[in-house]
Amino acid sequence: MEIEKPSLTLTPNIETAPAEKKPEPQTAVIDKEDTLTAEEKAMVESFSRQIDIKNTAMVMQYGAGTQQKMASFSEKALASVRTKELGEVGDMLTDIVKELQSFDAADDDKGGIFKLFRKGADKIETLKGKYSKVEGNIDSVVESLEHHQIQLMKDISSLDQLYESNLVYYKELTMYILAGKKSLEAFRATELMTAQEKAAASGLPEDAQAAKDLSDMADRFEKKLHDLELTRMIAIQTAPQIRLIQSNDTAMAEKIQSTITNTIPLWKSRMVLALGIAHATEAAKAQRAVTDMTNELLKKNAQLLKQASIDTARETERGIVDIETLSETNETLISTLDEVLAIQAEGRQKRHDAEAELVRIEDTLKNKLLEMSR
């Protein structure tokens, strides 16, 4: 952008507008010429000789062109501030922080040995699902942040142009004020003083009125210069305000850049590490489970082998028939023989008794038959 140079004119091409009430100045504005270049000082000197304080229209429009440009400039600056959505950007940055905080790679998945492999796979898939969800949300926010960052960079460049324009307006107002004061000082020292001296010498009312009119014209022009000084003060105050807005925009743009280039990649690196650690942890758990199972099986096998060896040894050391069994069967056999002998003896006795009884029965029958035969 080509830097605009200060220019002075007595006939600005502006539309007349209702005069606004000007605030009372709080401090005097220094209007020394040491801030001007030699060319600008010559321009002020030449311009001051062209000013006609008695020209009411010229006095009304004196410096109005720069004041109008200042008003337009203020609208642009205000529009730049209005279009800022830094609160939205701050909310987006806060959302990113919340998204990152919501992701937790830690997951105490408990379960037995036989469910370990399935649970390990489920845990890793859960981590990947969390990552995909958070990454999608963050990518959407980052896209919006990049748009805001581009807009902020454009605004910063525009504010640079506004700052340069404000410097030009400040310089123009300074030159108008200096030229006006030079002209006003010369007017009061020449025409006004001559008129006042003439009125005092003649004592005529028309000469007094003429002197009074010239004094009023000088006062009106002085008030015009005062208005320009107030406008220049606005230009002075606008410069740091522009820089403050630029500083805020720059800080926010840098914050966005830091988030995009540092925070997000660091989080993704952390995610890669988290998945790697999860894989390693699950592998370690699986290996530990296998080792524990192997040790348990070895212990059980050793116990089984011990018991089997003991049982086998015991069986191999036993005889075909246990002595206890032989003793028991021998006692049973003897008891059986004793019982058989007792039964046989009892049978013999019963048979002997039966023979005696048969003899008695036979004798009894015989006797009875003999008895009946008589």
Side-chain angles (χ1 to χ4, degrees):
M1 175 182 176
E2 183 179 355
I3 298 177
E4 184 181 355
K5 293 183 179 180
S7 62
L8 304 178
T9 179
L10 295 173
T11 56
N13 184 19
I14 61 171
E15 296 181 1
T16 59
E20 297 181 358
K21 184 178 180 181
K22 304 295 182 179
E24 291 296 326
Q26 296 180 354
T27 58
V29 178
I30 299 174
D31 51 15
K32 295 181 179 179
E33 296 186 34
D34 53 6
T35 60
L36 304 180
T37 64
E39 179 183 358
E40 290 169 347
K41 290 178 181 179
M43 186 185 301
V44 168
E45 188 65 33
S46 174
F47 189 73
S48 67
R49 292 192 292 267
Q50 301 175 34
I51 300 173
D52 184 4
I53 296 178
K54 294 181 292 184
N55 187 333
T56 304
M58 186 218 71
V59 171
M60 290 182 60
Q61 295 185 355
Y62 186 79
T66 301
Q67 287 180 310
Q68 181 64 30
K69 288 189 288 186
M70 278 291 298
S72 177
F73 163 82
S74 299
E75 287 296 326
K76 289 182 180 179
L78 181 59
S80 178
V81 175
R82 285 174 177 169
T83 56
K84 294 291 183 297
E85 297 178 354
L86 299 185
E88 180 182 350
V89 174
D91 292 341
M92 290 181 180
L93 294 175
T94 301
D95 290 342
I96 283 185
V97 173
K98 290 181 179 178
E99 287 290 347
L100 297 183
Q101 289 177 340
S102 70
F103 178 81
D104 186 6
D107 184 12
D108 294 332
D109 195 7
K110 298 180 180 180
I113 292 177
F114 301 104
K115 296 182 180 180
L116 180 63
F117 294 98
R118 179 180 60 80
K119 288 191 174 182
D122 291 344
K123 175 181 176 180
I124 293 174
E125 288 302 318
T126 300
L127 283 177
K128 291 179 179 179
K130 287 182 179 179
Y131 173 74
S132 298
K133 178 179 179 295
V134 175
E135 184 184 35
N137 293 340
I138 289 179
D139 286 344
S140 177
V141 176
V142 167
E143 184 177 354
S144 297
L145 284 175
E146 288 175 341
H147 172 75
H148 282 286
Q149 185 185 29
I150 292 172
Q151 185 60 47
L152 285 171
M153 297 305 294
K154 290 180 179 179
D155 291 344
I156 292 171
S157 177
S158 297
L159 287 170
D160 273 332
Q161 297 176 6
L162 290 176
Y163 185 83
E164 294 298 329
S165 298
N166 186 66
L167 289 179
V168 173
Y169 302 150
Y170 166 77
K171 183 65 70 68
E172 286 185 1
L173 289 169
T174 300
M175 294 170 68
Y176 273 116
I177 293 169
L178 289 172
K181 287 190 174 184
K182 286 179 179 293
S183 179
L184 180 60
E185 183 179 358
F187 178 78
R188 282 176 169 166
T190 56
E191 292 188 51
L192 179 57
M193 183 177 292
T194 300
Q196 289 173 341
E197 290 175 351
K198 181 180 178 182
S202 67
L204 296 175
E206 59 267 27
D207 290 339
Q209 184 62 49
K212 178 65 169 62
D213 291 343
L214 291 177
S215 178
D216 290 343
M217 291 177 185
D219 290 342
R220 284 197 298 271
F221 189 65
E222 185 178 20
K223 291 180 181 178
K224 182 65 177 181
L225 294 179
H226 178 68
D227 287 345
L228 293 179
E229 287 179 340
L230 295 178
T231 304
R232 188 178 69 162
M233 178 54 69
I234 294 174
I236 293 174
Q237 294 176 346
T238 300
Q241 290 172 352
I242 291 174
R243 289 307 191 206
L244 180 60
I245 296 172
Q246 275 188 308
S247 178
N248 292 337
D249 288 355
T250 301
M252 187 58 69
E254 290 174 350
K255 182 65 176 178
I256 292 173
Q257 185 68 23
S258 176
T259 300
I260 294 174
T261 59
N262 295 325
T263 304
I264 304 304
L266 284 176
W267 172 76
K268 290 186 177 181
S269 297
R270 175 181 175 272
M271 180 57 211
V272 172
L273 291 175
L275 286 174
I277 291 172
H279 282 110
T281 301
E282 296 307 319
K285 286 183 180 178
Q287 181 60 44
R288 183 166 59 251
V290 171
T291 301
D292 292 343
M293 186 180 296
T294 301
N295 290 333
E296 187 67 23
L297 289 175
L298 288 174
K299 290 178 182 179
K300 289 183 178 180
N301 288 340
Q303 290 294 331
L304 291 174
L305 179 60
K306 176 183 177 181
Q307 189 63 41
S309 298
I310 292 173
D311 293 343
T312 302
R314 284 176 177 172
E315 292 301 321
T316 55
E317 292 300 323
R318 289 177 64 186
I320 297 175
V321 179
D322 292 339
I323 189 66
E324 291 83 1
T325 302
L326 292 177
S327 295
E328 184 178 347
T329 55
N330 187 62
E331 290 178 359
T332 303
L333 179 59
I334 292 173
S335 176
T336 301
L337 293 175
D338 289 340
E339 289 182 6
V340 170
L341 290 175
I343 292 172
Q344 289 177 347
E346 184 181 358
R348 283 195 299 273
Q349 181 62 40
K350 286 182 177 181
R351 285 193 302 275
H352 178 72
D353 292 341
E355 289 178 358
E357 182 66 21
L358 288 174
V359 171
R360 188 188 65 77
I361 293 172
E362 183 180 355
D363 288 341
T364 302
L365 181 58
K366 287 179 179 181
N367 291 330
K368 187 70 179 173
L369 290 173
L370 289 176
E371 182 182 350
M372 291 178 62
S373 64
R374 291 178 184 168

